Amino acid sequence: MTMPVFYDALTVHTQSHDYPIVITENAAIENSSMAQQVAPYIGGQQVLIVTNETVAPLYLKALEDELSVQFTVRVCVLPDGEQYKNQTSIDQIYDALMAEHFNRDVTLIALGGGVVGDMTGFAAASFMRGVNFIQIPTTLLSQVDSSVGGKTGINHAQGKNMIGAFWQPQMVLADMSTLKTLPARELSAGIAEIIKYALIMDETFLTWLEANLPAMMALDLAVLGEAVKRCCQYKADVVAQDERESGVRALLNFGHTFGHVIETNEGYGNWLHGEAVAAGMVQAAELSQKIGWLTHDEVARIKRVLILGNLPITPPVIEVETALNLMGHDKKVKHGQIRLILLKSIGDAVLTNDFDHELLSEVLSQYSA
Ligand code: NAD
Ligand code: GLY
């Protein structure tokens, strides 16, 4: 029998409440372990598990069966894909809640990647003006980023994550063993967000990643667990300082303004979020170099580590005007000015509009037709 392994638990401090991130291994496949971990955080009797058609056959049954001993459990299985991160899917969750006459005592459980997590959180934030939810992230990306910190929402045809709410979960349960079934491309997408933390916050973590990425890519769960723990700690620290992104939290969006252009322009789901962030981080690094902050060697180092993670370092061809127009929808735009996260050096990021916008056009034009 495979024994569950407990790695660590961290606490996220927020204005509404504090909550734990529990990092384990094998909770998903032991009959009762995942349910045992989340049960104490379920307030009432009603539970709606929200998942998708890919994750459901893998991890739903054990969780549903075990929770059903104690709670009234219903399931909402959504179609899989970023292109379904929209109002229609949210309506599907509301329909499931209404059909069961579930009320304010309900707890929603997000079982899946960032798409399921963001949508379940948004449904929880808005159903009856707000009910509890729990995150069980099953992709590396959602374990290191999206399940923590309470950003929830859906896409609009003209912009990523344009509709949403800040709504914190009651707990996060990250089981490393779920990564065994994750496609390699999705693992790499998560590694992009891990590299992001190193680039914006901690050069020594980049050195650690350069040494440990091969083990992570080979699915060494203990090393992945260590990386998840470090990233969740970085994120918990940032969220505790700036839950609603009026300052330091914006730095977590390094590469995202460029990346969102790619995701929106190429059609949701064609470039994975992490892949778009990887190419976006290269563009942000190149702009940082043009401004005179990063050196050529630092940009080369960033590209090398992304390649080690099997990630793209070149965005698709997009016209400069199209890119600038899409950037104009970014949530960080202030007084009509595009603001970007740029690097003064590796591990030192700033949010700024204080750069020559011609240089931005120069970076974008390198990748236009
Ligand atoms: P995803 O949710 O689409 O999951 C990726 C794919 O893996 C999907 O096909 C999914 O069904 C499948 N999958 C999930 N777990 C699996 C498992 N254990 N085994 C096999 N397949 C599995 O994508 P993602 O990368 O997890 O999340 C991306 C989303 O997260 C984007 O919408 C992005 O905007 C959002 N995001 C949100 C935040 C935030 O702070 N809220 C942060 C970063 C990203
Ligand atoms: N992923 C960025 C944030 O949570 O703020």
Side-chain angles (χ1 to χ4, degrees):
M1 176 170 132
T2 325
M3 290 303 290
V5 181
F6 173 73
Y7 285 123
D8 224 322
L10 313 169
T11 303
V12 187
H13 300 283
T14 71
Q15 280 158 17
S16 55
H17 59 278
D18 294 353
Y19 60 89
I21 306 168
V22 177
I23 304 166
T24 68
E25 186 185 320
N26 291 328
I29 54 171
E30 288 306 304
N31 267 342
S32 62
S33 194
M34 200 181 250
Q36 276 173 358
Q37 299 274 2
V38 299
Y41 299 91
I42 298 173
Q45 273 306 304
Q46 305 163 353
V47 173
L48 182 74
I49 303 174
V50 181
T51 185
N52 73 22
E53 57 204 11
T54 304
V55 178
L58 297 169
Y59 303 111
L60 175 62
K61 191 175 182 318
L63 179 68
E64 184 187 1
D65 286 355
E66 192 65 24
L67 286 179
S68 295
V69 174
Q70 218 179 323
F71 304 100
T72 304
V73 182
R74 296 291 178 268
V75 174
C76 175
V77 180
L78 299 172
D80 182 8
E82 183 75 38
Q83 64 274 35
Y84 299 106
K85 190 177 165 183
N86 57 26
Q87 190 58 46
T88 307
S89 298
I90 295 292
D91 286 341
Q92 240 177 287
I93 303 175
Y94 295 150
D95 290 349
L97 290 162
M98 295 300 287
E100 296 301 328
H101 298 276
F102 278 172
N103 58 38
R104 281 195 168 138
D105 290 336
V106 69
T107 296
L108 273 59
I109 298 180
L111 176 68
V115 170
V116 164
D118 280 13
M119 289 200 291
T120 307
F122 185 45
S126 47
F127 184 67
M128 295 197 177
R129 299 199 182 88
V131 297
N132 287 348
F133 86 113
I134 288 169
Q135 291 270 19
I136 306 184
T138 60
T139 63
L140 184 59
L141 185 142
S142 56
Q143 291 173 348
V144 298
D145 194 351
S146 64
S147 64
V148 176
K151 276 191 185 174
T152 72
I154 54 175
N155 299 327
H156 185 275
Q158 290 174 49
K160 272 278 295 177
N161 297 333
M162 275 296 144
I163 297 137
F166 286 98
W167 193 247
Q168 301 292 343
Q170 297 302 306
M171 84 154 320
V172 179
L173 174 61
D175 184 341
M176 294 302 105
S177 57
T178 58
L179 300 179
K180 286 183 187 165
T181 54
L182 193 67
R185 195 177 156 200
E186 299 290 352
L187 190 80
S188 285
I191 283 170
E193 297 278 12
I194 294 176
I195 292 171
K196 174 196 78 178
Y197 286 104
L199 297 183
I200 60 171
M201 295 204 174
D202 187 353
E203 191 271 336
T204 65
F205 184 41
L206 190 64
T207 305
W208 186 89
L209 285 174
E210 285 162 342
N212 287 286
L213 267 177
M216 290 162 67
M217 302 289 284
L219 273 188
D220 181 327
L221 297 189
V223 180
L224 282 162
E226 174 64 23
V228 170
K229 184 177 117 184
R230 287 180 184 225
C231 294
C232 287
Q233 191 62 64
Y234 290 126
K235 185 147 188 189
D237 290 346
V238 169
V239 169
Q241 288 173 61
D242 178 25
E243 187 176 340
R244 298 248 163 177
E245 197 169 305
S246 47
V248 67
R249 185 165 181 172
L251 303 182
L252 295 176
N253 295 314
F254 177 59
H256 284 56
T257 306
F258 293 97
H260 286 168
V261 168
I262 299 171
E263 287 185 270
T264 308
N265 196 63
E266 299 307 297
Y268 296 129
N270 290 321
W271 273 62
L272 300 183
H273 176 72
E275 293 170 342
V277 166
M281 289 193 293
V282 171
Q283 289 178 289
E286 286 173 343
L287 180 53
S288 306
Q289 185 189 351
K290 278 185 189 290
I291 292 171
W293 290 343
L294 285 189
T295 63
H296 175 272
D297 286 355
E298 284 175 311
V299 176
R301 185 179 178 198
I302 291 171
K303 289 180 182 171
R304 271 199 310 277
V305 77
L306 291 168
I307 290 169
L308 206 55
N310 235 345
L311 286 157
I313 57 166
T314 310
V317 171
I318 302 176
E319 290 306 324
V320 176
E321 208 183 310
T322 308
L324 287 173
N325 188 31
L326 287 169
M327 282 181 162
H329 287 302
D330 189 81
K331 291 191 282 303
K332 290 180 294 304
V333 168
K334 203 169 180 183
H335 309 309
Q337 291 273 329
I338 293 171
R339 297 187 304 160
L340 293 170
I341 321 302
L342 299 175
L343 296 183
K344 293 240 168 190
S345 62
I346 290 177
D348 183 9
V350 285
L351 170 66
T352 182
N353 67 0
D354 189 15
F355 54 87
D356 179 352
H357 282 61
E358 271 306 304
L359 297 179
L360 170 60
S361 298
E362 272 181 33
V363 169
L364 293 172
S365 66
Q366 281 170 225
Y367 304 105
S368 65

